[in-house]
Amino acid sequence: AFEYWTKAAGLGDVGAHYQLSVVYRNGLGAEKDKKREVYHLEEAAIGGHAGARHNLACFEWENGRHDRALQHWIIAAKLGYDNSMKT
C-alpha cells in the first residue's frame, strides 16, 4: 500500500497524503519520520482532509503553538470532524 499511496500523493491525492502521515507516525511500512509525517499532514490538511487538520492541530499543541493548534481544530470542526470539538 505504501508504494501506491506514495504515487497517489505525488499526484495530489489528499487521502494518500493522510495515509502516508499515519505510516510515518507509526513506523508501519516505513521508518518513523516526524518531518515526513508533518509534511504529509500539511498537504492533506491544505487539501481539505479534516482528520489531517485535527492531527496537525495536535502536533502544533504538543509543540507549544497553541494559537495555531486552535485554528486547526476550528477548521477541522467546520469540516465536520467531531473529535475536534472534544479536544
Side-chain angles (χ1 to χ4, degrees):
F2 178 80
E3 196 175 305
Y4 291 109
W5 287 330
T6 301
K7 289 179 182 180
L11 295 172
D13 185 278
V14 174
H17 277 294
Y18 177 75
Q19 291 301 326
L20 287 171
S21 77
V22 173
V23 166
Y24 287 119
R25 178 180 67 229
N26 296 329
L28 300 173
E31 282 189 44
K32 286 185 178 184
D33 187 325
K34 185 57 89 173
K35 187 175 179 179
R36 287 183 177 167
E37 173 195 352
V38 172
Y39 167 77
H40 288 291
L41 277 178
E42 289 173 342
E43 291 296 310
I46 289 167
H49 193 285
R53 184 69 72 167
H54 174 84
N55 289 355
L56 191 55
C58 294
F59 171 78
E60 296 289 6
W61 186 268
E62 291 168 1
N63 287 283
R65 294 184 289 269
H66 299 147
D67 289 343
R68 290 183 71 171
L70 291 172
Q71 290 174 355
H72 287 304
W73 277 320
I74 290 168
I75 293 168
K78 286 182 179 180
L79 291 171
Y81 197 78
D82 292 337
N83 285 343
S84 288
M85 298 294 289
K86 300 173 187 173
T87 303

